[in-house]
Amino acid sequence: MLFDTHVHLNADQFQEDVEDVMKRAQEAGVKRMVVVGFDRLTITRAMELVEKYDWLYAAVGWHPVDAIDMTEEDLNWIEELANHPKVVAIGEMGLDYHWDKSPKDVQKDVFRRQIRLAKKVKLPIIIHNREATQDIVDILKEEGASDVGGVMHCFSGSAETALECVKLNFYISLGGPVTFKNAKKPKEVAEAVPLDKLLIETDCPYLAPHPYRGKRNEPAYVKLVAEEIAALKHLSYEEVAAATMKNANTLFQLD
């Protein structure tokens, strides 16, 4: 059985056929998923989904690209939602230097405030990183994020950085890119990171794995990620599925 630790079933791309998408996920062996909300609309939709389906869980946070839009009221709302029994993490949060909507100093402030909130409510954090690796690692250290730990979502950095994050009490999550033929770094990460520190995800509807690259991603395809990691680590698919399920349940404090 598989645990897709990062889905956006709350995205517009799934509004027409979310039932069919989830049925295909179950047929592929996906037993649990975390639906990630990162602004007012997606958080609201995530909460609606987890209320309706018992095998879905939610993460609530504020995306770095939209950091400039976050208000005190938004942060208080996230704190309130953190008490919901189906909310298992705070995020996704972090830094994104690819887009320039939110200034770096604003992103860093919003990131730090969410780490402090996660420590207050004792939930792990989900990290979004785009072209900001060193600043993210520095802030995680400065804010003592290892107290709650979390996951480096859809990790795209080097194996060395991955192992540094593991030391900070973070799991490394791999998605579709690990299946791309030219994806040297994710494959090296899969080989280097111990199996008990790896998670799998789709980040659907984005980053579909081979052979669906360029198409809409969906949770059923997380099986392809697990199969690729198994091949890279010279393990059976069943071993990777079982280990990543156990890791996710441990991180998100599920049974």
Side-chain angles (χ1 to χ4, degrees), residues 106-191:
V106 174
Q107 289 191 41
K108 289 177 181 178
D109 179 61
V110 167
F111 184 22
R112 290 180 186 276
R113 291 169 76 188
Q114 289 186 90
I115 294 172
R116 291 166 193 167
L117 170 58
K119 290 171 72 173
K120 182 179 177 183
V121 298
K122 295 181 169 59
L123 285 177
I125 60 180
I126 296 177
I127 300 296
H128 171 100
N129 168 27
R130 193 163 184 191
E131 300 170 17
T133 302
Q134 194 55 55
D135 283 355
I136 280 180
V137 170
D138 290 346
I139 288 172
L140 291 176
K141 288 177 180 176
E142 290 163 11
E143 294 294 334
S146 58
D147 289 357
V148 289
V151 51
M152 308 302 289
H153 134 70
C154 212
F155 189 80
S156 61
S158 68
E160 291 77 14
T161 302
L163 294 173
E164 186 177 3
C165 292
V166 167
K167 288 178 184 173
L168 295 174
N169 196 24
F170 279 78
Y171 289 83
I172 305 300
S173 185
L174 295 171
V178 77
T179 69
F180 301 166
K181 287 174 184 171
N182 60 348
K184 187 166 175 262
K185 277 188 180 179
K187 292 182 192 297
E188 289 173 349
V189 168
E191 292 168 349

Side-chain angles (χ1 to χ4, degrees), residues 25-38:
Q26 288 183 303
E27 288 169 353
V30 182
K31 186 181 179 186
R32 286 177 166 168
M33 297 188 258
V34 173
V35 184
V36 180
F38 53 81

Side-chain angles (χ1 to χ4, degrees), residues 30-235:
V30 182
K31 186 181 179 186
R32 286 177 166 168
M33 297 188 258
V34 173
V35 184
V36 180
F38 53 81
D39 60 17
R40 278 273 169 184
L41 176 61
T42 58
I43 289 171
T44 300
R45 286 179 177 174
M47 296 309 298
E48 289 169 355
L49 285 166
V50 301
E51 291 277 9
K52 190 173 179 183
Y53 302 99
D54 61 2
W55 54 300
L56 300 183
Y57 299 87
V60 295
W62 211 265
H63 200 284
V65 171
D66 301 313
I68 198 163
D69 300 325
M70 194 190 80
T71 65
E72 196 68 36
E73 185 183 358
D74 293 325
L75 198 63
N76 292 337
W77 180 50
I78 290 168
E79 182 172 354
E80 286 170 23
L81 289 174
N83 294 311
H84 191 287
K86 298 293 288 289
V87 171
V88 296
I90 304 297
E92 59 189 281
M93 66 174 82
L95 302 174
D96 191 315
Y97 292 168
H98 184 76
W99 306 106
D100 59 2
K101 178 183 173 184
S102 296
K104 290 181 181 180
D105 60 331
V106 174
Q107 289 191 41
K108 289 177 181 178
D109 179 61
V110 167
F111 184 22
R112 290 180 186 276
R113 291 169 76 188
Q114 289 186 90
I115 294 172
R116 291 166 193 167
L117 170 58
K119 290 171 72 173
K120 182 179 177 183
V121 298
K122 295 181 169 59
L123 285 177
I125 60 180
I126 296 177
I127 300 296
H128 171 100
N129 168 27
R130 193 163 184 191
E131 300 170 17
T133 302
Q134 194 55 55
D135 283 355
I136 280 180
V137 170
D138 290 346
I139 288 172
L140 291 176
K141 288 177 180 176
E142 290 163 11
E143 294 294 334
S146 58
D147 289 357
V148 289
V151 51
M152 308 302 289
H153 134 70
C154 212
F155 189 80
S156 61
S158 68
E160 291 77 14
T161 302
L163 294 173
E164 186 177 3
C165 292
V166 167
K167 288 178 184 173
L168 295 174
N169 196 24
F170 279 78
Y171 289 83
I172 305 300
S173 185
L174 295 171
V178 77
T179 69
F180 301 166
K181 287 174 184 171
N182 60 348
K184 187 166 175 262
K185 277 188 180 179
K187 292 182 192 297
E188 289 173 349
V189 168
E191 292 168 349
V193 173
L195 184 59
D196 65 356
K197 287 298 178 181
L198 281 177
L199 298 173
I200 54 174
E201 65 170 273
T202 54
D203 196 23
C204 63
Y206 318 107
L207 296 172
H210 177 78
Y212 302 103
R213 190 173 184 177
K215 298 186 169 75
R216 184 187 73 168
N217 200 4
E218 59 177 79
Y221 300 163
V222 79
K223 185 174 185 180
L224 297 167
V225 176
E227 288 172 346
E228 179 66 20
I229 292 171
L232 289 164
K233 295 187 85 64
H234 307 291
L235 299 169

